[in-house]
Amino acid sequence: MSEQTTLNGVKVSYKPKSDKPKQFSDDKKRSQDSKKRVYFDKGQSKPARPYANKSRNTQAKKEVKPNVMGNPFAHMMRDARFCAVDIVFKVENGQSLSELLITELKELNDNDKRFVQHLVYGALRYFEILEFQLTHYLQKPIKPSERHVYLAILLAIYEITEMNTAEYAAVNNWVTLIRQMNKDWAVGLTNGILRKVLREGLQPLPKNTAKVSLPKWLSESLIKYWGVEKACAVAEHFLTHPQMTIRINPLQVDRDQYSVLLSEVGIEHVKHDWVDSAIVLREAVSVSVLPNFSTGMSSVQDASAQLAAQLLAPKDHEVIIDACAAPGGKTVAMLERNQNIQAIYAIDSVEKRLLRVKENISRVFAEDLASKVKLSAIDFEIFQLDNQADAVLLDVPCSATGIIHRHPDIKRLRQVTDIKPLVEVQAKLLENAWAQLKPGGRLLYSTCSILKEENEQQMKAFFAKHEDASEIECHLPFAERESFGYQILPISVMRPEKMDGFYYCLIQKAHD
């Protein structure tokens, strides 16, 4: 389903182009009006005849240098395309995409906001591929100090090849933007590259798509652990739009009944084969159209994440710890599965994030059930429960490399140097979780990572240290069975039931 809007008076469709750009032979490289302009290789164009009076431009133009202490383009934040460029620039400097899409689009109308979101998400998904394409057209690299120009050309290439904006209008708008940024030196460069892309199409990609569509460190890790074929399949999956999956609330309705309700309002869907609470929608929709969403009959949660409550299987009268609870989906799912739980301690180190947990709990449960969830804003490394818990869900902070298709900014934010510190934090959280668990209790360790350092290798180190720990087998035939735990790759289940990349290991503590 495509969504249309207007931008600068031009109709824009958010459904990706189905047809590849036309290919042109070498004899068509020249403009029809060849007397006026000749197009050169490397995407540059210039007048065929040099200026006779070279003195007409005797005074060197003053280059506007970026102000690293702030945003030198603040006056342009009402331009949708520049907003997209600046958001990607800020993502590269460590800011969260989800937060930027809230704070940076205040000056735009709703149509422009949707345009920016589509452009930014798409460009970040294809970022490495766009860089591969741009390298082909550049005679020399663009200076690091001109990063906004570089990013503008990348995003422009994405728009003219993947979005249904009128080509002439898109090129004109991007060239105008470069000029408004006071980057006159880049006007001809931008115009030439974009027009050459339209004439010749994009360059063919190498067979190893993982190397060209992922950061080098990540592609090397995936190839090392999963082989070239699976690494390439994962990389290609990360270029796709994520599907929308909902979790039904068994306290209010069963899955078959909710399926009927969805059909009655015209929402196409399939019931997930491997996760008993999951329904996969053919197209993403606003939660406002989901039947009885506001009263907690359903929630949005990927099937992989829904497995946490299914695997831990809360029992009557148990005390459970959700060690890293925000945004609360797993906390809610556990109480939905068994309303006879004694208590769930929902822990998160950031108090603001617990507000989201509280909102979800209030939407789904009446006060008598909602009161069973005890919120605590504290770092779990130092959390202490008066009496040990019957079960612990430990969904640790991780690299999030299994959900890049949902959060493409991860490719720009995450670095190989982040992995070791994350592994160390995970190990500390594991130790405290084990200390809070009573003999005979269950601990479910999970990540949304597909890196073995955070998953299988983390578990190997844990089991080597704890003789009182034993693994409980899980029925996950679609997942990769590791020496400890189960790795769900984003390609483990074929569409329409694809699942996010996740890892689970269910551990039992020996009785005294």
Side-chain angles (χ1 to χ4, degrees), residues 322-353:
D322 188 352
C324 305
K330 298 179 184 68
T331 303
V332 172
M334 287 189 287
L335 190 53
E336 286 177 343
R337 282 195 170 260
N338 192 335
Q339 60 183 324
N340 296 319
I341 293 172
Q342 179 178 327
I344 299 178
Y345 289 86
I347 315 301
D348 200 274
S349 59
V350 180
E351 186 170 6
K352 185 178 179 180
R353 292 203 293 252

PDB file of all heavy atoms in Angstrom, residues 322-353:
ATOM      1  N   ASP A 322      11.779  -8.904  36.181  1.00  0.00           N
ATOM      2  CA  ASP A 322      12.087  -8.492  34.807  1.00  0.00           C
ATOM      3  C   ASP A 322      13.198  -7.464  34.936  1.00  0.00           C
ATOM      4  O   ASP A 322      12.973  -6.290  35.233  1.00  0.00           O
ATOM      5  CB  ASP A 322      10.841  -7.906  34.139  1.00  0.00           C
ATOM      6  CG  ASP A 322      11.061  -7.652  32.645  1.00  0.00           C
ATOM      7  OD1 ASP A 322      12.205  -7.788  32.187  1.00  0.00           O
ATOM      8  OD2 ASP A 322      10.081  -7.317  31.957  1.00  0.00           O
ATOM      9  N   ALA A 323      14.432  -7.919  34.715  1.00  0.00           N
ATOM     10  CA  ALA A 323      15.605  -7.147  35.136  1.00  0.00           C
ATOM     11  C   ALA A 323      15.855  -5.887  34.314  1.00  0.00           C
ATOM     12  O   ALA A 323      16.388  -4.911  34.825  1.00  0.00           O
ATOM     13  CB  ALA A 323      16.836  -8.039  35.111  1.00  0.00           C
ATOM     14  N   CYS A 324      15.525  -5.897  33.052  1.00  0.00           N
ATOM     15  CA  CYS A 324      15.713  -4.726  32.187  1.00  0.00           C
ATOM     16  C   CYS A 324      14.397  -4.518  31.461  1.00  0.00           C
ATOM     17  O   CYS A 324      14.259  -4.846  30.288  1.00  0.00           O
ATOM     18  CB  CYS A 324      16.870  -4.944  31.220  1.00  0.00           C
ATOM     19  SG  CYS A 324      18.442  -5.376  32.033  1.00  0.00           S
ATOM     20  N   ALA A 325      13.413  -3.957  32.145  1.00  0.00           N
ATOM     21  CA  ALA A 325      12.012  -4.095  31.764  1.00  0.00           C
ATOM     22  C   ALA A 325      11.540  -3.187  30.635  1.00  0.00           C
ATOM     23  O   ALA A 325      10.660  -3.570  29.867  1.00  0.00           O
ATOM     24  CB  ALA A 325      11.127  -3.877  32.990  1.00  0.00           C
ATOM     25  N   ALA A 326      12.051  -1.963  30.556  1.00  0.00           N
ATOM     26  CA  ALA A 326      11.511  -1.005  29.571  1.00  0.00           C
ATOM     27  C   ALA A 326      11.643  -1.557  28.147  1.00  0.00           C
ATOM     28  O   ALA A 326      12.639  -2.223  27.844  1.00  0.00           O
ATOM     29  CB  ALA A 326      12.249   0.322  29.698  1.00  0.00           C
ATOM     30  N   PRO A 327      10.622  -1.322  27.306  1.00  0.00           N
ATOM     31  CA  PRO A 327       9.411  -0.509  27.518  1.00  0.00           C
ATOM     32  C   PRO A 327       8.239  -1.258  28.143  1.00  0.00           C
ATOM     33  O   PRO A 327       7.139  -0.710  28.211  1.00  0.00           O
ATOM     34  CB  PRO A 327       9.068  -0.061  26.098  1.00  0.00           C
ATOM     35  CG  PRO A 327       9.509  -1.194  25.240  1.00  0.00           C
ATOM     36  CD  PRO A 327      10.767  -1.727  25.890  1.00  0.00           C
ATOM     37  N   GLY A 328       8.439  -2.493  28.561  1.00  0.00           N
ATOM     38  CA  GLY A 328       7.407  -3.179  29.326  1.00  0.00           C
ATOM     39  C   GLY A 328       6.630  -4.257  28.605  1.00  0.00           C
ATOM     40  O   GLY A 328       5.744  -4.879  29.198  1.00  0.00           O
ATOM     41  N   GLY A 329       6.941  -4.504  27.346  1.00  0.00           N
ATOM     42  CA  GLY A 329       6.192  -5.503  26.591  1.00  0.00           C
ATOM     43  C   GLY A 329       6.274  -6.894  27.190  1.00  0.00           C
ATOM     44  O   GLY A 329       5.275  -7.621  27.271  1.00  0.00           O
ATOM     45  N   LYS A 330       7.459  -7.280  27.636  1.00  0.00           N
ATOM     46  CA  LYS A 330       7.632  -8.620  28.202  1.00  0.00           C
ATOM     47  C   LYS A 330       7.003  -8.714  29.592  1.00  0.00           C
ATOM     48  O   LYS A 330       6.468  -9.763  29.983  1.00  0.00           O
ATOM     49  CB  LYS A 330       9.117  -8.977  28.237  1.00  0.00           C
ATOM     50  CG  LYS A 330       9.775  -9.015  26.851  1.00  0.00           C
ATOM     51  CD  LYS A 330      11.256  -9.352  26.961  1.00  0.00           C
ATOM     52  CE  LYS A 330      11.948  -9.302  25.606  1.00  0.00           C
ATOM     53  NZ  LYS A 330      12.028  -7.921  25.081  1.00  0.00           N
ATOM     54  N   THR A 331       7.082  -7.634  30.361  1.00  0.00           N
ATOM     55  CA  THR A 331       6.431  -7.596  31.677  1.00  0.00           C
ATOM     56  C   THR A 331       4.931  -7.842  31.521  1.00  0.00           C
ATOM     57  O   THR A 331       4.333  -8.683  32.204  1.00  0.00           O
ATOM     58  CB  THR A 331       6.654  -6.235  32.353  1.00  0.00           C
ATOM     59  OG1 THR A 331       8.049  -5.981  32.468  1.00  0.00           O
ATOM     60  CG2 THR A 331       6.029  -6.206  33.735  1.00  0.00           C
ATOM     61  N   VAL A 332       4.311  -7.087  30.609  1.00  0.00           N
ATOM     62  CA  VAL A 332       2.876  -7.218  30.369  1.00  0.00           C
ATOM     63  C   VAL A 332       2.541  -8.616  29.869  1.00  0.00           C
ATOM     64  O   VAL A 332       1.559  -9.234  30.311  1.00  0.00           O
ATOM     65  CB  VAL A 332       2.401  -6.153  29.360  1.00  0.00           C
ATOM     66  CG1 VAL A 332       0.956  -6.394  28.945  1.00  0.00           C
ATOM     67  CG2 VAL A 332       2.553  -4.758  29.950  1.00  0.00           C
ATOM     68  N   ALA A 333       3.354  -9.147  28.958  1.00  0.00           N
ATOM     69  CA  ALA A 333       3.078 -10.457  28.378  1.00  0.00           C
ATOM     70  C   ALA A 333       3.107 -11.560  29.435  1.00  0.00           C
ATOM     71  O   ALA A 333       2.307 -12.507  29.373  1.00  0.00           O
ATOM     72  CB  ALA A 333       4.091 -10.761  27.277  1.00  0.00           C
ATOM     73  N   MET A 334       4.011 -11.463  30.406  1.00  0.00           N
ATOM     74  CA  MET A 334       4.067 -12.487  31.452  1.00  0.00           C
ATOM     75  C   MET A 334       2.810 -12.477  32.311  1.00  0.00           C
ATOM     76  O   MET A 334       2.265 -13.536  32.651  1.00  0.00           O
ATOM     77  CB  MET A 334       5.324 -12.289  32.312  1.00  0.00           C
ATOM     78  CG  MET A 334       6.608 -12.682  31.608  1.00  0.00           C
ATOM     79  SD  MET A 334       8.062 -12.708  32.692  1.00  0.00           S
ATOM     80  CE  MET A 334       8.339 -10.949  32.943  1.00  0.00           C
ATOM     81  N   LEU A 335       2.330 -11.284  32.649  1.00  0.00           N
ATOM     82  CA  LEU A 335       1.117 -11.199  33.465  1.00  0.00           C
ATOM     83  C   LEU A 335      -0.114 -11.596  32.657  1.00  0.00           C
ATOM     84  O   LEU A 335      -1.073 -12.155  33.210  1.00  0.00           O
ATOM     85  CB  LEU A 335       0.967  -9.787  34.021  1.00  0.00           C
ATOM     86  CG  LEU A 335      -0.110  -9.573  35.095  1.00  0.00           C
ATOM     87  CD1 LEU A 335       0.037 -10.563  36.251  1.00  0.00           C
ATOM     88  CD2 LEU A 335      -0.057  -8.141  35.628  1.00  0.00           C
ATOM     89  N   GLU A 336      -0.099 -11.344  31.360  1.00  0.00           N
ATOM     90  CA  GLU A 336      -1.186 -11.801  30.492  1.00  0.00           C
ATOM     91  C   GLU A 336      -1.261 -13.321  30.469  1.00  0.00           C
ATOM     92  O   GLU A 336      -2.347 -13.903  30.423  1.00  0.00           O
ATOM     93  CB  GLU A 336      -0.985 -11.284  29.061  1.00  0.00           C
ATOM     94  CG  GLU A 336      -1.270  -9.807  28.857  1.00  0.00           C
ATOM     95  CD  GLU A 336      -0.975  -9.350  27.450  1.00  0.00           C
ATOM     96  OE1 GLU A 336      -0.253 -10.081  26.722  1.00  0.00           O
ATOM     97  OE2 GLU A 336      -1.446  -8.263  27.062  1.00  0.00           O
ATOM     98  N   ARG A 337      -0.108 -13.960  30.508  1.00  0.00           N
ATOM     99  CA  ARG A 337      -0.077 -15.426  30.445  1.00  0.00           C
ATOM    100  C   ARG A 337      -0.539 -16.068  31.742  1.00  0.00           C
ATOM    101  O   ARG A 337      -1.081 -17.167  31.727  1.00  0.00           O
ATOM    102  CB  ARG A 337       1.334 -15.914  30.093  1.00  0.00           C
ATOM    103  CG  ARG A 337       1.634 -15.771  28.620  1.00  0.00           C
ATOM    104  CD  ARG A 337       2.855 -16.569  28.211  1.00  0.00           C
ATOM    105  NE  ARG A 337       2.935 -16.560  26.754  1.00  0.00           N
ATOM    106  CZ  ARG A 337       2.536 -17.536  25.953  1.00  0.00           C
ATOM    107  NH1 ARG A 337       2.022 -18.645  26.479  1.00  0.00           N
ATOM    108  NH2 ARG A 337       2.640 -17.446  24.652  1.00  0.00           N
ATOM    109  N   ASN A 338      -0.290 -15.402  32.857  1.00  0.00           N
ATOM    110  CA  ASN A 338      -0.718 -15.975  34.143  1.00  0.00           C
ATOM    111  C   ASN A 338      -1.041 -14.844  35.116  1.00  0.00           C
ATOM    112  O   ASN A 338      -0.146 -14.237  35.688  1.00  0.00           O
ATOM    113  CB  ASN A 338       0.369 -16.888  34.718  1.00  0.00           C
ATOM    114  CG  ASN A 338      -0.143 -17.721  35.875  1.00  0.00           C
ATOM    115  OD1 ASN A 338      -1.095 -17.349  36.561  1.00  0.00           O
ATOM    116  ND2 ASN A 338       0.495 -18.863  36.105  1.00  0.00           N
ATOM    117  N   GLN A 339      -2.328 -14.606  35.301  1.00  0.00           N
ATOM    118  CA  GLN A 339      -2.739 -13.524  36.205  1.00  0.00           C
ATOM    119  C   GLN A 339      -2.596 -13.905  37.666  1.00  0.00           C
ATOM    120  O   GLN A 339      -2.797 -13.052  38.549  1.00  0.00           O
ATOM    121  CB  GLN A 339      -4.189 -13.141  35.916  1.00  0.00           C
ATOM    122  CG  GLN A 339      -5.186 -14.272  36.101  1.00  0.00           C
ATOM    123  CD  GLN A 339      -6.595 -13.862  35.737  1.00  0.00           C
ATOM    124  OE1 GLN A 339      -7.000 -12.728  35.976  1.00  0.00           O
ATOM    125  NE2 GLN A 339      -7.348 -14.780  35.140  1.00  0.00           N
ATOM    126  N   ASN A 340      -2.228 -15.169  37.939  1.00  0.00           N
ATOM    127  CA  ASN A 340      -2.069 -15.629  39.323  1.00  0.00           C
ATOM    128  C   ASN A 340      -0.633 -15.493  39.823  1.00  0.00           C
ATOM    129  O   ASN A 340      -0.291 -16.022  40.888  1.00  0.00           O
ATOM    130  CB  ASN A 340      -2.535 -17.078  39.456  1.00  0.00           C
ATOM    131  CG  ASN A 340      -4.030 -17.215  39.176  1.00  0.00           C
ATOM    132  OD1 ASN A 340      -4.827 -16.385  39.592  1.00  0.00           O
ATOM    133  ND2 ASN A 340      -4.400 -18.262  38.442  1.00  0.00           N
ATOM    134  N   ILE A 341       0.208 -14.811  39.044  1.00  0.00           N
ATOM    135  CA  ILE A 341       1.554 -14.478  39.530  1.00  0.00           C
ATOM    136  C   ILE A 341       1.418 -13.652  40.808  1.00  0.00           C
ATOM    137  O   ILE A 341       0.537 -12.805  40.931  1.00  0.00           O
ATOM    138  CB  ILE A 341       2.316 -13.675  38.454  1.00  0.00           C
ATOM    139  CG1 ILE A 341       2.595 -14.539  37.221  1.00  0.00           C
ATOM    140  CG2 ILE A 341       3.629 -13.126  39.006  1.00  0.00           C
ATOM    141  CD1 ILE A 341       3.166 -13.751  36.057  1.00  0.00           C
ATOM    142  N   GLN A 342       2.336 -13.878  41.746  1.00  0.00           N
ATOM    143  CA  GLN A 342       2.283 -13.093  42.978  1.00  0.00           C
ATOM    144  C   GLN A 342       2.761 -11.666  42.737  1.00  0.00           C
ATOM    145  O   GLN A 342       2.117 -10.701  43.181  1.00  0.00           O
ATOM    146  CB  GLN A 342       3.135 -13.740  44.070  1.00  0.00           C
ATOM    147  CG  GLN A 342       3.136 -12.962  45.388  1.00  0.00           C
ATOM    148  CD  GLN A 342       3.950 -13.657  46.467  1.00  0.00           C
ATOM    149  OE1 GLN A 342       4.009 -14.889  46.518  1.00  0.00           O
ATOM    150  NE2 GLN A 342       4.585 -12.870  47.321  1.00  0.00           N
ATOM    151  N   ALA A 343       3.897 -11.539  42.042  1.00  0.00           N
ATOM    152  CA  ALA A 343       4.431 -10.193  41.779  1.00  0.00           C
ATOM    153  C   ALA A 343       5.480 -10.258  40.675  1.00  0.00           C
ATOM    154  O   ALA A 343       6.161 -11.272  40.502  1.00  0.00           O
ATOM    155  CB  ALA A 343       5.054  -9.598  43.041  1.00  0.00           C
ATOM    156  N   ILE A 344       5.590  -9.158  39.929  1.00  0.00           N
ATOM    157  CA  ILE A 344       6.667  -8.973  38.959  1.00  0.00           C
ATOM    158  C   ILE A 344       7.402  -7.688  39.332  1.00  0.00           C
ATOM    159  O   ILE A 344       6.792  -6.617  39.413  1.00  0.00           O
ATOM    160  CB  ILE A 344       6.146  -8.857  37.516  1.00  0.00           C
ATOM    161  CG1 ILE A 344       5.396 -10.124  37.095  1.00  0.00           C
ATOM    162  CG2 ILE A 344       7.312  -8.614  36.553  1.00  0.00           C
ATOM    163  CD1 ILE A 344       4.829 -10.037  35.683  1.00  0.00           C
ATOM    164  N   TYR A 345       8.686  -7.792  39.568  1.00  0.00           N
ATOM    165  CA  TYR A 345       9.518  -6.619  39.838  1.00  0.00           C
ATOM    166  C   TYR A 345      10.126  -6.156  38.516  1.00  0.00           C
ATOM    167  O   TYR A 345      10.995  -6.824  37.949  1.00  0.00           O
ATOM    168  CB  TYR A 345      10.600  -6.952  40.864  1.00  0.00           C
ATOM    169  CG  TYR A 345      10.046  -7.143  42.254  1.00  0.00           C
ATOM    170  CD1 TYR A 345       9.550  -8.391  42.663  1.00  0.00           C
ATOM    171  CD2 TYR A 345       9.973  -6.086  43.154  1.00  0.00           C
ATOM    172  CE1 TYR A 345       9.016  -8.576  43.936  1.00  0.00           C
ATOM    173  CE2 TYR A 345       9.444  -6.255  44.429  1.00  0.00           C
ATOM    174  CZ  TYR A 345       8.966  -7.489  44.807  1.00  0.00           C
ATOM    175  OH  TYR A 345       8.439  -7.664  46.065  1.00  0.00           O
ATOM    176  N   ALA A 346       9.614  -5.020  37.998  1.00  0.00           N
ATOM    177  CA  ALA A 346      10.075  -4.471  36.727  1.00  0.00           C
ATOM    178  C   ALA A 346      11.162  -3.439  37.008  1.00  0.00           C
ATOM    179  O   ALA A 346      10.888  -2.374  37.576  1.00  0.00           O
ATOM    180  CB  ALA A 346       8.913  -3.836  35.970  1.00  0.00           C
ATOM    181  N   ILE A 347      12.378  -3.759  36.624  1.00  0.00           N
ATOM    182  CA  ILE A 347      13.545  -2.937  36.958  1.00  0.00           C
ATOM    183  C   ILE A 347      14.078  -2.255  35.699  1.00  0.00           C
ATOM    184  O   ILE A 347      14.163  -2.878  34.632  1.00  0.00           O
ATOM    185  CB  ILE A 347      14.675  -3.800  37.558  1.00  0.00           C
ATOM    186  CG1 ILE A 347      14.133  -4.781  38.608  1.00  0.00           C
ATOM    187  CG2 ILE A 347      15.780  -2.923  38.118  1.00  0.00           C
ATOM    188  CD1 ILE A 347      13.436  -4.126  39.768  1.00  0.00           C
ATOM    189  N   ASP A 348      14.441  -0.990  35.810  1.00  0.00           N
ATOM    190  CA  ASP A 348      15.154  -0.315  34.735  1.00  0.00           C
ATOM    191  C   ASP A 348      16.017   0.786  35.350  1.00  0.00           C
ATOM    192  O   ASP A 348      15.618   1.425  36.326  1.00  0.00           O
ATOM    193  CB  ASP A 348      14.204   0.275  33.700  1.00  0.00           C
ATOM    194  CG  ASP A 348      14.914   0.535  32.381  1.00  0.00           C
ATOM    195  OD1 ASP A 348      15.509   1.614  32.221  1.00  0.00           O
ATOM    196  OD2 ASP A 348      14.880  -0.358  31.512  1.00  0.00           O
ATOM    197  N   SER A 349      17.167   1.006  34.761  1.00  0.00           N
ATOM    198  CA  SER A 349      18.113   1.967  35.329  1.00  0.00           C
ATOM    199  C   SER A 349      17.700   3.414  35.086  1.00  0.00           C
ATOM    200  O   SER A 349      18.192   4.314  35.766  1.00  0.00           O
ATOM    201  CB  SER A 349      19.515   1.732  34.754  1.00  0.00           C
ATOM    202  OG  SER A 349      19.509   1.874  33.343  1.00  0.00           O
ATOM    203  N   VAL A 350      16.793   3.661  34.141  1.00  0.00           N
ATOM    204  CA  VAL A 350      16.374   5.022  33.807  1.00  0.00           C
ATOM    205  C   VAL A 350      14.902   5.187  34.183  1.00  0.00           C
ATOM    206  O   VAL A 350      14.026   4.537  33.625  1.00  0.00           O
ATOM    207  CB  VAL A 350      16.577   5.313  32.309  1.00  0.00           C
ATOM    208  CG1 VAL A 350      16.140   6.741  31.978  1.00  0.00           C
ATOM    209  CG2 VAL A 350      18.037   5.104  31.918  1.00  0.00           C
ATOM    210  N   GLU A 351      14.648   6.088  35.104  1.00  0.00           N
ATOM    211  CA  GLU A 351      13.286   6.275  35.607  1.00  0.00           C
ATOM    212  C   GLU A 351      12.321   6.700  34.505  1.00  0.00           C
ATOM    213  O   GLU A 351      11.160   6.275  34.477  1.00  0.00           O
ATOM    214  CB  GLU A 351      13.292   7.308  36.736  1.00  0.00           C
ATOM    215  CG  GLU A 351      11.945   7.456  37.427  1.00  0.00           C
ATOM    216  CD  GLU A 351      12.038   8.298  38.693  1.00  0.00           C
ATOM    217  OE1 GLU A 351      13.113   8.849  38.964  1.00  0.00           O
ATOM    218  OE2 GLU A 351      11.021   8.381  39.404  1.00  0.00           O
ATOM    219  N   LYS A 352      12.797   7.536  33.579  1.00  0.00           N
ATOM    220  CA  LYS A 352      11.936   8.007  32.500  1.00  0.00           C
ATOM    221  C   LYS A 352      11.405   6.851  31.662  1.00  0.00           C
ATOM    222  O   LYS A 352      10.252   6.885  31.197  1.00  0.00           O
ATOM    223  CB  LYS A 352      12.718   9.003  31.621  1.00  0.00           C
ATOM    224  CG  LYS A 352      11.898   9.651  30.533  1.00  0.00           C
ATOM    225  CD  LYS A 352      12.733  10.650  29.757  1.00  0.00           C
ATOM    226  CE  LYS A 352      11.920  11.300  28.637  1.00  0.00           C
ATOM    227  NZ  LYS A 352      12.729  12.274  27.864  1.00  0.00           N
ATOM    228  N   ARG A 353      12.220   5.827  31.463  1.00  0.00           N
ATOM    229  CA  ARG A 353      11.780   4.687  30.659  1.00  0.00           C
ATOM    230  C   ARG A 353      10.693   3.883  31.364  1.00  0.00           C
ATOM    231  O   ARG A 353       9.874   3.224  30.716  1.00  0.00           O
ATOM    232  CB  ARG A 353      12.967   3.786  30.315  1.00  0.00           C
ATOM    233  CG  ARG A 353      13.967   4.423  29.360  1.00  0.00           C
ATOM    234  CD  ARG A 353      14.770   3.374  28.629  1.00  0.00           C
ATOM    235  NE  ARG A 353      15.648   2.633  29.505  1.00  0.00           N
ATOM    236  CZ  ARG A 353      16.975   2.757  29.538  1.00  0.00           C
ATOM    237  NH1 ARG A 353      17.558   3.652  28.756  1.00  0.00           N
ATOM    238  NH2 ARG A 353      17.700   2.031  30.346  1.00  0.00           N
TER     239      ARG A 353
END
